[in-house]
Amino acid sequence: MEKIEAFFKNNITLAALKVSLGFIFVIASIGKILNPALFAQDIYSYALLPDRLVPLAAAVLPWIEFSAGLMLMADIYPRTNGIVITGLLFVFIFAIVVTVMRGIEIS
């Protein structure tokens, strides 16, 4: 346990993890930003939001993802961005679980 704590308290390790996680979110957001209509179709396929909110979610969520990832990579408000990224992950996991439990096929 002490080795694990020491590993995560190491500044180099923390920096590498922040950059890696931030990079993943930045890369994941780029396709959504470049093609919001396709992302809107993906959101719509989950059948969780009212149709009126889908375009808004498709326009806003990728920019939140991009900004949080970029700021995490730059070590700007890392705890706040960590919370934002955690929230995005929880929303995504929740959407998948609910959709699968409802028997809706997602791609």
Side-chain angles (χ1 to χ4, degrees), residues 40-92:
Q41 288 176 349
D42 291 342
I43 294 172
Y44 182 76
S45 70
Y46 283 85
L48 292 173
L49 291 177
D51 292 349
R52 284 181 273 152
L53 294 180
V54 170
L56 178 64
V60 172
L61 286 175
W63 285 104
I64 293 171
E65 188 176 24
F66 180 83
S67 299
L70 196 63
M71 290 174 69
L72 189 62
M73 289 172 63
D75 204 27
I76 300 170
Y77 301 113
R79 288 182 189 222
T80 302
N81 287 300
I83 291 168
V84 170
I85 287 173
T86 301
L88 289 170
L89 288 170
F90 276 130
V91 167
F92 182 62

Side-chain angles (χ1 to χ4, degrees), residues 25-40:
F25 271 78
V26 166
I27 294 301
S29 70
I30 290 173
K32 298 169 195 164
I33 290 168
L34 295 176
N35 195 346
L38 181 61
F39 184 49

Side-chain angles (χ1 to χ4, degrees), residues 9-33:
K9 287 184 180 180
N10 183 319
N11 288 338
I12 295 171
T13 301
L14 287 175
L17 290 172
K18 289 176 194 176
V19 169
S20 299
L21 183 59
F23 182 75
I24 289 168
F25 271 78
V26 166
I27 294 301
S29 70
I30 290 173
K32 298 169 195 164
I33 290 168

